[in-house]
Amino acid sequence: MLKDKNLRIPMILLFLAIGGCASLLPTYEPPTVSVSAFRVLPSNTLNPKFEIDLHIINPNNIMLNLQGISYSASIEGHKILTGVSNELPVIEAYGEGDVRLVASADLFGSFGLINDLVRQNKKDLSYQLNVKLDVGKFTPAIRVERLGTISFR
């Protein structure tokens, strides 16, 4: 038992706050993030740029007030695209929204992928999309990972 009476009330409030936050987490579902469009942008440099449209679905009863997003895409383990943005919509509770991103190609990752493709005759390529959604200072970032295969059969 606490001996200092001045600390009892703040400690009780702290435990209630921690318990309240913990009880909210089990019902939280990560948003669904999918690529809805992918375009090559005109460029005068050696480093190509791409425009990527993401569609985000919020399956929760609280809105996502997105502050920032960072993302990367890899093919066969080679990081191909990376980017960030802070121009994002608020996605309402049980709502959805679209985000348009501009990504830069990683030349060394792209060269590594091309080298592997030339040496191997693959009919399927594995890909990985990692997205980190920042929803503010007091909420942990939401991380979404999508894995899949691109088939050339």
Side-chain angles (χ1 to χ4, degrees):
M1 196 75 175
L2 288 174
K3 294 183 181 187
D4 187 356
K5 291 183 181 183
N6 293 333
L7 288 178
R8 284 185 188 168
I9 292 178
M11 291 302 286
I12 291 170
L13 291 174
L14 177 66
F15 287 128
L16 287 174
I18 291 172
C21 291
S23 67
L24 294 176
L25 293 177
T27 62
Y28 183 81
E29 291 182 49
T32 301
V33 178
S34 59
V35 177
S36 57
F38 186 89
R39 293 175 286 286
V40 178
L41 295 176
S43 176
N44 294 333
T45 67
L46 184 59
N47 190 11
K49 294 210 181 273
F50 303 89
E51 193 171 71
I52 303 169
D53 290 349
L54 298 180
H55 186 71
I56 301 173
I57 298 173
N58 179 10
N60 298 289
N61 64 355
I62 57 171
M63 74 175 179
L64 289 176
N65 187 7
L66 299 173
Q67 304 296 309
I69 186 171
S70 65
Y71 53 92
S72 67
S74 301
I75 298 176
E76 289 295 310
H78 299 279
K79 189 177 284 188
I80 304 299
L81 300 172
T82 57
V84 296
S85 180
N86 61 5
E87 297 177 11
L88 303 166
V90 171
I91 300 177
E92 296 298 327
Y94 299 111
E96 48 192 279
D98 294 310
V99 176
R100 179 162 288 160
L101 307 169
V102 175
S104 298
D106 180 323
L107 288 180
F108 290 116
S110 299
F111 289 145
L113 174 62
I114 291 169
N115 186 37
D116 285 354
L117 293 176
V118 169
R119 289 187 295 138
Q120 304 167 9
N121 187 17
K122 289 191 150 197
K123 303 233 188 272
D124 298 320
L125 298 177
S126 63
Y127 70 86
Q128 178 177 357
L129 173 67
N130 292 303
V131 178
K132 181 179 89 171
L133 301 169
D134 179 2
V135 290
K137 295 179 183 176
F138 301 111
T139 307
I142 299 166
R143 296 183 184 276
V144 178
E145 178 182 66
R146 295 284 178 258
L147 302 171
T149 303
I150 302 167
S151 181
F152 294 103
R153 296 176 198 201

